Amino acid sequence: MQELHDAPLAPLTTFRLGGPAARLVTATTDAEVVAAVREADDTGTPLLLIGGGSNLVIGDKGFDGTALHLATRGYRLDGTTLELAAGEVWSDAVARTVEAGLAGIECLAGIPGSAGATPIQNVGAYGQEVSSTITEVTAYDRRARETVVLTNAECAFAYRHSRFKADPERYVVLRVRFALEDAGGLSAPLRYAETARALGVAAGDRVAVGRARETVLKLRAGKGMVLDPEDHDTWSAGSFFTNPILTDEEFAAFRARVAGRLGDDAEPPAYPAGEGRTKTSAAWLIDRAGFPKGYGEGPARISTKHTLALTNRGTATTEDLLALAREVVAGVADAFGVTLVNEPVTVGVTL
């Protein structure tokens, strides 16, 4: 294991923000990961897990403890069964499955971060979620002090949520196993209207799996959602806020606020989210509350390509970013009575 002290953490995050860690350990095997976690637990040392750093907001003061960078590698494809080590680069793994002609995660192309983070957040985009293909997750259980294997059902997946996110101090994901589909080189049925429209097909249709991936990459790039060191619109954590899920009563109150602010003909986005629940669009809320693309005058601004991404224009601090996030949250709440929730994990800071 590599060990550094007073080590910068900003370069390990896609925001490129945050102060140093008192100690940074880089683990390249599962055994090294477990050993580092056990050492921290045995000594009562605060522990921060870092994979691809695409979902982290680290405070300017840094982290007074051990930051563990999961740099494990392992890609194993056996028929339609895929197993990834936690440190595998997710976008690269998706590309390899598409090259193999397999379907199931092709619409998750271009998402930054590591494979081990995908079950934690139940990563999803363009009509796919990893929960639909994950069969099991191998993790170190810090409470039981042993390595365990959790089935899909035991992961308790929900929208941008899982057992791992609900109890973040307990599990360290080591490996993730997926069941993909051999559809003769075709994609999974396209479930996202924008993707189908871009491909010129109907929702539910299949296309060549490589074509589906390339289309998603183009759509993401157009929104600044594919990492590019030269493009500050990609110095972000992708979508900064989750799409709100409202009860029927909350949605009725929300619609009344929309009508009062935008007129009786205005209809907010609405998607079924289970019995008595409706999901609406965080991007729509942000834009209609007066925060358009490019909003902001400081070094942290809303992306010029996507309303839902908050970005570091190159010289921002974490406090600059949080000030912008708080302004957006307050503005949306004032306009529509809906409280936005941040998607990235915050370390040493809160909204």
Side-chain angles (χ1 to χ4, degrees):
M1 286 188 290
Q2 182 188 64
E3 181 176 329
L4 299 172
H5 294 271
D6 195 28
L9 293 180
L12 297 180
T13 74
T14 52
F15 264 125
R16 295 168 171 80
L17 294 177
R23 177 173 176 253
L24 172 63
V25 173
T26 300
T28 58
T29 68
D30 289 355
E32 288 180 351
V33 172
V34 172
V37 173
R38 282 179 173 166
E39 179 190 17
D41 290 345
D42 289 344
T43 58
T45 304
L47 181 67
L48 171 63
L49 302 175
I50 301 178
S54 61
N55 203 43
L56 278 180
V57 178
I58 299 173
D60 292 317
K61 292 182 179 179
F63 183 70
D64 187 17
T66 295
L68 175 57
H69 182 207
L70 280 71
T72 54
R73 291 292 180 265
Y75 175 101
R76 187 169 68 87
L77 186 61
D78 182 8
T80 57
T81 299
L82 172 67
E83 183 176 281
L84 299 176
E88 278 290 327
V89 177
W90 174 253
S91 58
D92 292 348
V94 172
R96 292 177 70 178
T97 65
V98 169
E99 288 172 4
L102 298 178
I105 56 176
E106 63 278 5
C107 291
L108 303 179
I111 293 177
S114 62
T118 61
I120 297 171
Q121 192 74 4
N122 186 16
V123 164
Y126 294 96
Q128 289 182 345
E129 288 183 329
V130 292
S131 58
S132 66
T133 52
I134 288 176
T135 56
E136 61 185 37
V137 175
T138 301
Y140 176 67
D141 185 338
R142 298 170 68 182
R143 190 175 304 164
R145 295 180 63 83
E146 64 181 8
T147 298
V148 298
V149 177
L150 302 174
T151 65
N152 181 289
E154 290 171 329
C155 291
F157 289 121
Y159 171 67
R160 299 297 178 272
H161 199 68
S162 69
R163 180 175 185 170
F164 311 105
K165 189 174 181 180
D167 195 356
E169 301 299 318
R170 180 169 181 179
Y171 296 102
V172 179
V173 174
L174 300 174
R175 296 187 173 267
V176 188
R177 182 170 290 186
F178 303 81
L180 303 179
E181 179 188 7
D182 184 350
L186 296 180
S187 69
L190 298 168
R191 305 193 183 284
Y192 199 70
E194 183 183 13
T195 314
R197 197 162 48 244
L199 284 160
V201 299
D205 286 352
R206 296 176 184 258
V207 298
V209 67
R211 188 176 167 216
R213 173 180 174 270
E214 289 302 320
T215 299
V216 166
L217 286 174
K218 288 178 183 177
L219 290 172
R220 291 185 64 87
K223 300 174 183 178
M225 295 293 185
V226 177
L227 293 180
D228 179 353
E230 303 303 316
D231 182 359
H232 286 290
D233 276 332
T234 74
W235 289 32
S236 76
S239 298
F240 195 87
F241 300 103
T242 58
N243 289 322
I245 296 178
L246 308 176
T247 64
D248 287 344
E249 183 179 355
E250 290 169 338
F251 190 75
F254 165 52
R255 287 185 67 186
R257 294 284 287 267
V258 169
R261 182 180 178 89
L262 304 178
D264 291 338
D265 293 335
E267 278 293 334
Y271 311 96
E275 187 175 352
R277 295 163 71 82
T278 301
K279 180 169 67 175
T280 192
S281 165
W284 187 93
L285 286 164
I286 293 167
D287 183 68
R288 300 310 191 278
F291 303 99
K293 296 173 185 175
Y295 178 87
E297 297 180 354
R301 302 178 194 174
I302 291 178
S303 167
T304 65
K305 300 182 180 72
H306 197 310
T307 316
L308 204 47
L310 307 188
T311 68
N312 171 10
R313 308 315 293 183
T315 60
T317 65
T318 301
E319 278 306 311
D320 293 327
L321 176 76
L322 293 176
L324 175 62
R326 290 169 186 141
E327 182 184 0
V328 170
V329 170
V332 168
D334 181 64
F336 299 114
V338 175
T339 300
L340 294 177
V341 176
N342 53 290
E343 187 166 330
V345 175
T346 56
V347 179
V349 292
T350 61
L351 287 189

